[in-house]
Amino acid sequence: MGHLVTVATCSLNQWALDFEGNAERIIESIRQAKSAGATLRVGPELEVTGYGCFDHFLEGDTYLHSWEMMAKIIHHPDCQDIVCDIGMPVRHKNTKYNCRVIIYNRKVLLIRPKLWLANDGNYREMRYFTPWKPAELDEYYLESIVGSITGQEKVPFGEALISTRDTCIGAETCEELFTPAAPHSTMSLAGCEIFTNSSGSHHELRKLNTRINIILEATKKCGGVYLYANQQGCDGDRLYYDGSAMIFVNGEIIAQGSQFSLTDVEVVTATVDLEDVRSYRSSTSRGLQAQQGPRYIRLDADVRLSKQEGHADYPLESSQPVSARYHRPEEEIALGPACWLWDYLRRSGAAGYFIPLSGGIDSCATAMIVYSMCRLVVEATKNNNEQVIKDARRIAGEPEDSDWKPATAQDFCKTLFHTCYMGSVNSSKETRSRAAALAKDIGAYHVDIDITRVTDAIVETFAIWSKWRPHFKSAGGSRTENLALQNIQARSRMVLAYLFAQLLPSSRGRNGGSLLVLGSANVDESLRGYLTKYDCSSADINPIGGISKTDLKAFIAYAKQEFKLPILESFLDATPTAELEPISDTYVQSDEADMGMTYDELSIFGRLRKVNKLGPWGTYTKLLQLWRDQYSPRQIYEKTRRFFYYYAINRHKMTVITPSYHAEQYSPDDNRYDLRPFLYPSFSWPYKKIEKHVAALEEKE
């Protein structure tokens, strides 16, 4: 009796609503799995539609087209003689479900709906779908377009196990793995030996460690073969799905795919020994629990996953354990947002990117992510990735019959990346020279302009009407005048950015196409509201909007060494400044001085507010513990009050914030992730409570 089985999982770069493209990538993954000898293939969650369809999951067309693509897959000659677990939405008895359709040789074996839906953070599955009741099985009347191929009128719909002639398969979907009573636990007691997990899991810094640890613990405790599949890439939204398809056996990793890649289809295979699972589960206590555990309905499938000994394709040995691969956070920043930018650029049809390059570290970080993208593209072209080569030629404006390939990252960068220093009378020669030097070193097409005439004209328009001229604080103006004069500089830069983004390709001789404008406000500045509404934080997309200043500095230090760019040292040494006020011998504007707190402190406030779910009082009491050796209770109260004051009065800015790459748990993105009011009261009661507590502590001292 054979007991060696070759199994396959995959990461697919799906695109929401790209039905034909998604189906082709699914078929290609099945083709590659079969060529590796696999008899079981599992793909990402909702792979037929793409995970990020959002309210399109409420449309009947989405379900119709899903079944039309399933008919194409199920009938395709390359999709035979292999069990396939495919994710798609299904409407059953007028109720919508997030499902897995398990097929074999033009038959639907089971439609398995998701039991526990992801409904927090970036996930809103219960807006579209209904969870299925565990251990319940129903009958589904199959669509005629598929039934005419399979010869089936009704198929099983619900939670069940599939018994092949040599093993037992059970399905677990994304969120279910992370629940306290995860299905794999009871399925393992019911004799399930192979678990498939289709996921639509997005990237966050340092998140992969959690994902791997949970699966390691699950298979270490329960035993079994665990196949984890995930989407990879930007499917049309703020999220980057970070792949990392993996195969585990009995608490060890035996295969791991890439977390970040420009490859649209990546298949990961391994050969497993089913006898290893059976011997691993030989303890008496497990046997007693299995005897008393829940019973699952088993659906028979006339298929053998293992090859018989003596068969020409019989594998000689099982795959051995490997060490888990993790990227450092600074590497994640270099790779994740870069892959996201590449998907967005090639799928948008734009001619490239444009950024106002200020000479500060934030716009520098955005520029370095674009440069990292160019490095990845060049590497992919050298590896003969045909899709990347095709996309790169189109973006570079090459004719269809061209055989051009970029030789270096700088070669590619100069075709698509445009930077612009928008100086004023308040700008320093240091920031101007840093911006120009960086653009030169990475190969960007750089423009240097002066915006003083533009801002002077706008202020003059107001002065003519009002017969009164506002002044900066340094010239005797009020706080309101000072802010207004800063803001008009910032907002004029946004207007000019879009003008240059539309016209630069034409001025360079390109026939058609405009540039996507990149923003460069980091997550901490958005949280505090330390930005001007409709300034250069307003852009098409922002690759660093979900990344903290602290992590961005670490990324720049990493890029200096990894990308061999010594110029980056000058950005690390420079004091962060907006350069919106006049510079004098005694005053240079500083971001941290303006904010009244450091960027590190802002990160702490952000985590306490979002991740720890604390308001002013809870934040204050927590900081009494964290900062007891740094600040007095009154200083902690003053910092807490200052943070929540500026957070509250600036929250309205988050309603129009540029769509940003999601990378941090404490992101203040108002659109889908961090849902809050944007008109706040003054927090009078919590402040009274804190003041009373501070007074009591001071009296005690």
Side-chain angles (χ1 to χ4, degrees), residues 465-514:
W465 170 81
S466 67
K467 298 180 175 55
W468 169 70
R469 183 174 297 277
H471 294 90
F472 282 105
K473 180 177 60 178
S474 59
S478 67
R479 181 177 180 275
T480 299
E481 293 171 64
N482 198 58
L483 282 175
L485 291 175
Q486 292 184 68
N487 289 343
I488 197 59
Q489 296 172 72
R491 290 186 174 119
S492 66
R493 287 179 172 130
M494 184 272 288
V495 175
L496 288 168
Y498 274 94
L499 175 68
F500 274 73
Q502 285 185 293
L503 297 180
L504 270 176
S506 298
S507 74
R508 296 185 66 190
R510 286 283 297 268
N511 294 321
S514 60

Side-chain angles (χ1 to χ4, degrees), residues 10 178 218 226 248 254-255 290 321 337 498 601 644 655:
C10 62
F178 298 90
Y226 203 102
F248 300 75
I254 61 170
Y498 274 94
E601 289 171 349
F644 278 99
T655 63

Side-chain angles (χ1 to χ4, degrees), residues 20 75 98 158 207 357 374-375 381 389 392 406 442 457 478 488 517 618:
E20 290 183 292
H75 188 61
N98 177 347
K207 179 181 174 183
L357 194 60
C374 294
R375 286 167 52 91
T381 60
I389 293 171
I442 65 176
S478 67
I488 197 59
V517 179

Side-chain angles (χ1 to χ4, degrees), residues 384-628:
N384 296 316
N385 185 317
E386 291 301 323
Q387 185 61 57
V388 173
I389 293 171
K390 179 181 176 182
D391 290 331
R393 287 173 181 164
R394 181 195 61 77
I395 292 167
E398 292 291 317
E400 291 187 8
D401 59 351
S402 170
D403 60 358
W404 174 85
K405 289 183 183 180
T408 66
Q410 286 85 350
D411 283 343
F412 192 47
C413 199
K414 71 182 179 183
T415 69
L416 67 95
F417 192 35
H418 303 69
T419 60
C420 180
Y421 183 82
M422 299 182 179
S424 74
V425 293
N426 300 316
S427 301
S428 66
K429 61 182 181 181
E430 289 81 11
T431 55
R432 174 176 267 110
S433 62
R434 277 201 303 269
L438 177 63
K440 180 182 178 181
D441 285 357
I442 65 176
Y445 183 87
H446 187 63
V447 178
D448 189 321
I449 65 173
D450 192 295
I451 67 169
T452 303
R453 291 175 61 189
V454 176
T455 56
D456 283 351
I458 295 171
V459 174
E460 183 67 21
T461 301
F462 175 81
I464 291 171
W465 170 81
S466 67
K467 298 180 175 55
W468 169 70
R469 183 174 297 277
H471 294 90
F472 282 105
K473 180 177 60 178
S474 59
S478 67
R479 181 177 180 275
T480 299
E481 293 171 64
N482 198 58
L483 282 175
L485 291 175
Q486 292 184 68
N487 289 343
I488 197 59
Q489 296 172 72
R491 290 186 174 119
S492 66
R493 287 179 172 130
M494 184 272 288
V495 175
L496 288 168
Y498 274 94
L499 175 68
F500 274 73
Q502 285 185 293
L503 297 180
L504 270 176
S506 298
S507 74
R508 296 185 66 190
R510 286 283 297 268
N511 294 321
S514 60
L515 307 174
L516 292 165
V517 179
L518 296 177
S520 57
N522 62 63
V523 70
D524 299 320
E525 290 170 346
S526 295
L527 175 69
R528 163 61 168 69
Y530 188 67
L531 52 88
T532 301
K533 200 173 187 179
Y534 304 118
D535 68 349
C536 285
S537 64
S538 293
D540 292 312
I541 52 175
N542 180 358
I544 70 165
I547 304 174
S548 72
K549 191 82 158 189
T550 302
D551 282 335
L552 287 175
K553 287 180 178 178
F555 161 61
I556 294 300
Y558 161 83
K560 175 196 166 189
Q561 300 297 328
E562 185 69 16
F563 300 166
K564 297 179 173 57
L565 292 171
I567 183 62
L568 296 180
E569 185 66 36
S570 64
F571 287 85
L572 290 168
D573 293 340
T575 300
T577 174
E579 289 195 335
L580 294 173
E581 294 183 78
I583 299 172
S584 69
D585 293 337
T586 59
Y587 178 75
V588 176
Q589 190 174 16
S590 164
D591 291 351
E592 291 186 334
D594 280 355
M595 292 189 297
M597 61 188 69
T598 67
Y599 281 105
D600 287 343
E601 289 171 349
L602 263 178
S603 292
I604 293 171
F605 277 113
R607 293 186 184 281
L608 293 177
R609 181 197 68 97
K610 178 66 177 177
V611 182
N612 292 57
K613 302 175 178 63
L614 300 176
W617 167 255
T619 298
Y620 161 75
T621 57
K622 193 71 173 178
L623 289 176
L624 284 177
Q625 305 169 46
L626 296 177
W627 289 349
R628 63 181 180 274

Side-chain angles (χ1 to χ4, degrees), residues 59-76:
E59 301 169 1
D61 283 6
T62 303
Y63 297 83
L64 169 64
H65 299 331
S66 294
W67 281 114
E68 289 168 340
M69 294 304 107
M70 178 56 70
K72 181 178 181 179
I73 295 166
I74 208 168
H75 188 61
H76 199 284

